[in-house]
Amino acid sequence: MTTATVLDATALNRATLARQHLLVRADLSVTEAVAHLCGMQAQEPQEPFLGLWSRLARFEPGALNAALSGREVVRTHLMRRTVHLVTAEDALAWRARHDAMLRQRAVGAYRRELDGIDLNELAAAGRAVMSDGRARTMAELVARVEDRWPGRPRRALGELLVAGLVPMAQLPPRGLWRSTAGVRNLPLAAWLGRDVEPLPADAADPVGQRLVRRYLAAYGPAATADLRAWCGLAGLPAAVKAVRGELVSFRDTRGRELLDLPDAPRPDPDTPAPVRFLPAFDNAVLGYRDRGRIIDEAHLGLSVAGHRVVLVDGRVSATWTVRGERLRVSPLRPLSPAEREAVHAEGRELAAFLDAEAEDVPAG
């Protein structure tokens, strides 16, 4: 019997950085980068610009603006019922596979308020309202249907409609560079000019298989629990079983099986990792059930509280903010003089991108 190779946290860290374009900035278009990353978490509309700046060579905000306005990428509820920036192709191909999860999570958040509502009836009412092709806020949509469900909380009805029942796109100017526009929704099919792809009646879950391969390309090596945590789906067991013969297997230091694509990059653990500034809710941190490859247990709360973080030697080692046009770094551990200088150098570059000024980095 062959014993699987054990990958420690540093080996997994460097693999993640390589897959996430955080070792070397990539020469990709915005659409290509968003596709490779399997989308970017985007409930905070400006954060994807920061994530792309740290990943792409010569990134310009206008490129993402153009991709959004040109309908190459779209803002929509998808993985984990969270607003993501995804390519139009992925939004249409993946939405049906996420439908049940999106409904379940929306209902779970408002179970008492929504008790007794026929979800199919509510979905049909929402689609009928939106069939005129007019973009609406959630409040405007609810105002058109709430008379049929009197006394129900408007927020619950609205969240269920726009985040669970009707595949929606959040239209520009929401999500454009330095825009503060509110959310206006339009059905994905109307915005993109194509229907959401129906879910194939295939027990081997072909859409899930594509999700597995794409996830591993951007996040592997990873456990099935990591895959489940990333997408919010129930582990994709049929899909994993179907593709397992294509994959290679490792173990982490806890003994968990890690799956991966055979030819995906797994750099030497001694590969130098540059300082990188990450946005709130970044993929590289939130894409796993076990985040120990990139963030210490003591700081796990930062990853779900919306803190922007700084990677030093590949690990979350500081947080950062911009206030009053000044970029400020707050170390989470003592930084050496060389680390402080590297953080400050990268911070100056980011500050210039943001039309801000970088403060000196404290030692920690």
Side-chain angles (χ1 to χ4, degrees):
M1 184 175 68
T2 302
T3 302
T5 300
V6 175
L7 300 177
D8 65 15
T10 304
L12 294 174
N13 175 271
R14 294 312 193 254
T16 291
L17 298 182
R19 312 291 173 92
Q20 291 284 312
H21 300 315
L22 293 169
L23 277 183
V24 179
R25 283 182 166 92
D27 188 15
L28 297 174
S29 72
V30 162
T31 302
E32 288 169 337
V34 172
H36 171 75
L37 296 169
C38 304
M40 304 180 74
Q41 196 156 328
Q43 70 265 43
E44 296 293 339
Q46 297 298 296
E47 300 305 295
F49 291 91
L50 304 175
L52 290 170
W53 180 86
S54 282
R55 288 174 165 90
L56 299 184
R58 299 175 298 280
F59 170 69
E60 294 291 340
L64 180 51
N65 282 356
L68 278 162
S69 298
R71 313 186 192 198
E72 296 177 22
V73 300
V74 62
R75 293 170 50 84
T76 188
H77 288 86
L78 204 59
M79 285 74 76
R80 307 185 301 279
R81 200 174 70 94
T82 303
V83 177
H84 274 71
L85 188 73
V86 296
T87 67
E89 298 296 332
D90 287 343
L92 296 172
W94 295 354
R95 171 60 199 230
R97 186 63 183 82
H98 287 76
D99 270 348
M101 177 272 294
L102 291 167
R103 282 190 175 210
Q104 289 166 2
R105 292 200 174 196
V107 170
Y110 298 101
R111 189 170 303 279
R112 180 179 300 176
E113 296 93 329
L114 297 171
D115 183 50
I117 289 182
D118 185 312
L119 299 186
N120 291 329
E121 183 181 353
L122 178 59
R127 290 192 185 94
V129 171
M130 301 301 297
S131 65
D132 62 4
R134 175 188 162 194
R136 288 179 171 83
T137 66
M138 187 171 74
E140 290 170 339
L141 174 56
V142 171
R144 294 287 302 274
V145 303
E146 63 180 337
D147 287 350
R148 295 174 60 175
W149 293 276
R152 303 291 183 151
R154 294 168 58 87
R155 182 74 184 184
L157 289 175
E159 286 278 352
L160 185 55
L161 280 168
V162 304
L165 298 181
V166 183
M168 294 282 198
Q170 295 187 357
L171 270 55
R174 181 70 169 179
L176 298 184
W177 180 237
R178 292 179 170 165
S179 169
T180 56
V183 177
R184 295 163 53 249
N185 303 285
L186 192 69
L188 271 175
W191 177 242
L192 299 178
R194 289 171 288 166
D195 288 333
V196 170
E197 295 177 16
L199 198 61
D202 186 334
D205 190 6
V207 179
Q209 291 179 42
R210 295 197 291 273
L211 282 167
V212 171
R213 296 186 190 99
R214 293 278 299 279
Y215 173 76
L216 293 176
Y219 296 87
T224 54
D226 297 318
L227 170 67
R228 182 167 58 249
W230 165 71
C231 63
L233 303 174
L236 303 172
V240 171
K241 180 179 179 180
V243 303
R244 182 175 282 274
E246 307 171 16
L247 307 178
V248 292
S249 177
F250 302 93
R251 295 281 172 183
D252 65 12
T253 55
R254 294 164 47 197
R256 297 190 315 159
E257 182 184 38
L258 306 175
L259 301 175
D260 204 6
L261 303 174
D263 298 325
R266 289 179 289 275
D268 188 297
D270 293 330
T271 302
V275 168
R276 290 290 186 255
F277 282 67
L278 298 185
F281 309 114
D282 191 80
N283 300 39
V285 181
L286 293 185
Y288 303 95
R289 173 70 176 84
D290 180 358
R291 298 168 186 164
R293 69 179 67 194
I294 200 165
I295 186 169
D296 294 341
E297 185 174 355
H299 303 138
L300 282 174
L302 299 174
S303 63
V304 294
H307 291 273
R308 296 165 169 172
V309 299
V310 184
L311 302 184
V312 182
D313 192 26
R315 298 191 64 79
V316 172
S317 301
T319 61
W320 67 278
T321 59
V322 175
R323 293 177 182 168
E325 298 183 352
R326 297 185 69 83
L327 189 152
R328 177 174 300 168
V329 172
S330 301
L332 298 169
R333 63 167 176 82
L335 301 178
S336 71
E339 289 174 331
R340 289 169 60 196
E341 176 51 36
V343 171
H344 189 53
E346 184 73 358
R348 285 196 302 267
E349 296 293 329
L350 177 56
F353 173 74
L354 296 172
D355 297 324
E357 182 177 347
E359 296 183 355
D360 290 338
V361 179

